C-alpha cells in the first residue's frame, strides 16, 4: 500500500478517552462516521495512512474476543500504530496492583489503552488515572466501538441516519445501551422490544431520551417485536445471554422465547430493510439461520466496519492537530 497524507478532516478528540457514545458530540460522531467511510474506501484502493507511526497502543482483554482483537490489531497496523497485547493473567486488573497503579504505569509506556472487561466501573477508574486515552472495547454497560460500526453500516446502506428507524429485538444489554445513545446522538429513531424485566437500564434510557429531544429522534420501548419492527429500515438483534450473564442462559431461553428475528418478522419492516447482528450469533435463538444468511452481506459488512470505525476513532483520539 502506498503511504498518503490525510486530505480530509479528523475530529479533534485528542487525548480524550472514549468509554461511552456520549464521550463525543453529535458532530464529532458524524465526522468519525464520515472519516470511517473514507478510510474504508482508501484501504480498498490500496492507500495507506500511517499517521500514527511510532506510537503504541496496549490492547487488554479480560474477556475473550475475535472481532475486537483482530479489528484493532489490523486497523492499528494500517495506521502504523504498534500494538501490545496484554492477557488477563498478566494484568489481572485490580488484583496484582491497584487499577490506578496499572493506569499510571501503562501511561508511561504506551500512547493509548484499549480495554475489554466486564466491569464498567473498573474501566472508568482506569481512564480516570491514565494520562493517555482509554478506549472501551466492551464492558457490561456499554459497547461504543461496536455502535460506531453499526451507525456506519446503517449510513452506508440506508443512505442517511436522521429520519430512519432502527428496531432492536432482544435484551436491554450493553449493546442496547450504546445503540440508544448513539442513535439519539445522530437523530436515528430507535424502537426497542424486550421481554418484560429485560428492559435497558432506566438511567441510560433517560440519558438517551434527553439526547433524542435535542436531535429530533424518537425512542420507543415496547414488549411486542412486531410493533417495534413495523416500518423499520433496519432490524438489530443480539444474543440472549452475553458473556457476562452466561449463567442465566437457560432462564433467558424461556424468557426470550419468540424474540427471534426471522423472515416472518422481517416482512413487517420496510421494503429493503436489512438485519444487523454484532456477532457471534446463536442461530435458531435470537436469529433464524435463513434470516442471517439472507442478510449476511449486511451483517459481515457490519463486522468489517469495526476496523474502519475504530481507525477513525484512534485517529481522533491520538492524532495531535
Amino acid at each position: 500500500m502506498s503511504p498518503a497524507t490525510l486530505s480530509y478532516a479528523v475530529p479533534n478528540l485528542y487525548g480524550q478517552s472514549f468509554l461511552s457514545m456520549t464521550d463525543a458530540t453529535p458532530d464529532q460522531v458524524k465526522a468519525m462516521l464520515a472519516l470511517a467511510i473514507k478510510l474504508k474506501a482508501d484501504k480498498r484502493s490500496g492507500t495507506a495512512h500511517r499517521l500514527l507511526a511510532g506510537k503504541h497502543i496496549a490492547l487488554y482483554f479480560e474477556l475473550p474476543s475475535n472481532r475486537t482483537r483482530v479489528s484493532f490489531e489490523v486497523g492499528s497496523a494500517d495506521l502504523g500504530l504498534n500494538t501490545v497485547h496484554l492477557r488477563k493473567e498478566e494484568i489481572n486488573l485490580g488484583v496484582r496492583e491497584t487499577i490506578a497503579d496499572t493506569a499510571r504505569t501503562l501511561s508511561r509506556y504506551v500512547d493509548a489503552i484499549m480495554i475489554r472487561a466486564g466491569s464498567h466501573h473498573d474501566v472508568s477508574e482506569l481512564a480516570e488515572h491514565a494520562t493517555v486515552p482509554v478506549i472501551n472495547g466492551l464492558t457490561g454497560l456499554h459497547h461504543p466501538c461496536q455502535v460506531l460500526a453499526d451507525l456506519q453500516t446503517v449510513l452506508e446502506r440506508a443512505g442517511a441516519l436522521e429520519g430512519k428507524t432502527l428496531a432492536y429485538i432482544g435484551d436491554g444489554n450493553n449493546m442496547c445501551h450504546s445503540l440508544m445513545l448513539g442513535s439519539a446522538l445522530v437523530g436515528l429513531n430507535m424502537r426497542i422490544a424486550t421481554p418484560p424485566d429485560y428492559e435497558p437500564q432506566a438511567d441510560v434510557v433517560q440519558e438517551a431520551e434527553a439526547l433524542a429531544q435535542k436531535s429530533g429522534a424518537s425512542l420507543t420501548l415496547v414488549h411486542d417485536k412486531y410493533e417495534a419492527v413495523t416500518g423499520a429500515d433496519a432490524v438489530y438483534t443480539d444474543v440472549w445471554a452475553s458473556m457476562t450473564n452466561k449463567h442465566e442462559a437457560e432462564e433467558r431461553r424461556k424468557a426470550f422465547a419468540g424474540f427471534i428475528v426471522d423472515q416472518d418478522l422481517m416482512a413487517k419492516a420496510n421494503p429493503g430493510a436489512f438485519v444487523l447482528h454484532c456477532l457471534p450469533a446463536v442461530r435458531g435463538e435470537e436469529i433464524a439461520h435463513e434470516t442471517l444468511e439472507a442478510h449476511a452481506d449486511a451483517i459481515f459488512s457490519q463486522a468489517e466496519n469495526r476496523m474502519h470505525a475504530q481507525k477513525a476513532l484512534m485517529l481522533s483520539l491520538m492524532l495531535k492537530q
Side-chain angles (χ1 to χ4, degrees):
M1 298 177 75
S2 57
T5 57
L6 208 56
S7 59
Y8 24 80
V10 175
N12 188 6
L13 286 83
Y14 180 73
Q16 299 181 37
S17 289
F18 189 72
L19 308 187
S20 165
M21 289 300 300
T22 56
D23 286 328
T25 67
D27 285 344
Q28 287 170 336
V29 171
K30 292 174 185 177
M32 273 193 279
L33 299 179
L35 177 57
I37 290 171
K38 290 171 180 174
L39 292 172
K40 181 177 182 177
D42 284 349
K43 183 175 177 69
R44 292 185 173 183
S45 70
T47 301
H49 301 290
R50 305 193 188 280
L51 299 176
L52 298 180
K55 292 183 180 291
H56 306 268
I57 184 169
L59 307 179
Y60 174 53
F61 294 94
E62 181 179 291
L63 297 173
S65 167
N66 176 1
R67 279 153 292 277
T68 299
R69 177 175 179 177
V70 177
S71 60
F72 264 108
E73 288 193 355
V74 176
S76 296
D78 285 350
L79 298 174
L81 180 62
N82 182 59
T83 56
V84 181
H85 186 261
L86 304 173
R87 296 174 298 175
K88 179 181 179 180
E89 55 268 30
E90 294 169 329
I91 298 296
N92 215 356
L93 196 65
V95 177
R96 294 185 64 237
E97 62 182 348
T98 68
I99 292 174
D101 286 355
T102 297
R104 290 182 292 186
T105 299
L106 288 177
S107 296
R108 298 297 181 105
Y109 298 145
V110 300
D111 302 282
I113 303 165
M114 190 290 300
I115 177 169
R116 182 177 172 92
S119 169
H120 191 80
H121 179 271
D122 287 354
V123 174
S124 296
E125 186 176 350
L126 186 77
E128 179 184 351
H129 294 282
T131 56
V132 297
V134 173
I135 299 171
N136 176 6
L138 175 144
T139 65
L141 185 63
H142 292 298
H143 198 356
C145 289
Q146 177 64 57
V147 170
L148 285 176
D150 298 340
L151 294 176
Q152 179 186 342
T153 310
V154 174
L155 181 57
E156 289 173 338
R157 292 184 172 262
L161 293 170
E162 293 184 359
K164 301 296 181 179
T165 298
L166 172 68
Y168 176 88
I169 310 300
D171 186 25
N173 58 12
N174 54 356
M175 272 311 322
C176 184
H177 290 161
S178 289
L179 278 169
M180 283 194 303
L181 296 172
S183 296
L185 279 167
V186 300
L188 176 64
N189 301 321
M190 190 170 177
R191 299 194 207 120
I192 299 164
T194 69
D197 301 323
Y198 290 92
E199 298 90 350
Q201 286 185 195
D203 59 331
V204 183
V205 173
Q206 291 174 356
E207 188 178 11
E209 286 175 337
L211 292 170
Q213 284 186 340
K214 294 179 181 179
S215 70
S218 63
L219 176 62
T220 307
L221 276 67
V222 299
H223 297 305
D224 184 336
K225 68 175 185 177
Y226 292 100
E227 182 180 350
V229 167
T230 299
D233 300 292
V235 179
Y236 199 116
T237 190
D238 190 14
V239 292
W240 295 342
S242 62
M243 285 181 289
T244 56
N245 51 39
K246 286 293 186 186
H247 59 287
E248 302 174 2
E250 191 53 42
E251 175 186 341
R252 284 170 171 265
R253 285 190 189 97
K254 296 175 183 177
F256 284 81
F259 276 77
I260 184 171
V261 174
D262 55 17
Q263 299 299 81
D264 175 61
L265 182 65
M266 290 305 297
K268 301 292 184 182
N270 280 341
F274 50 93
V275 175
L276 298 177
H277 194 307
C278 55
L279 300 175
V282 181
R283 299 169 189 241
E285 287 195 359
E286 76 277 0
I287 188 166
H289 171 79
E290 60 273 17
T291 304
L292 191 152
E293 290 303 325
H295 296 271
D297 186 64
I299 291 169
F300 290 99
S301 292
Q302 175 190 6
E304 177 192 346
N305 284 344
R306 285 289 302 273
M307 175 172 57
H308 308 300
Q310 288 162 186
K311 285 167 67 175
L313 174 62
M314 288 188 287
L315 283 173
S316 301
L317 301 179
M318 300 179 68
L319 185 64
K320 193 167 186 178
Q321 300 183 54

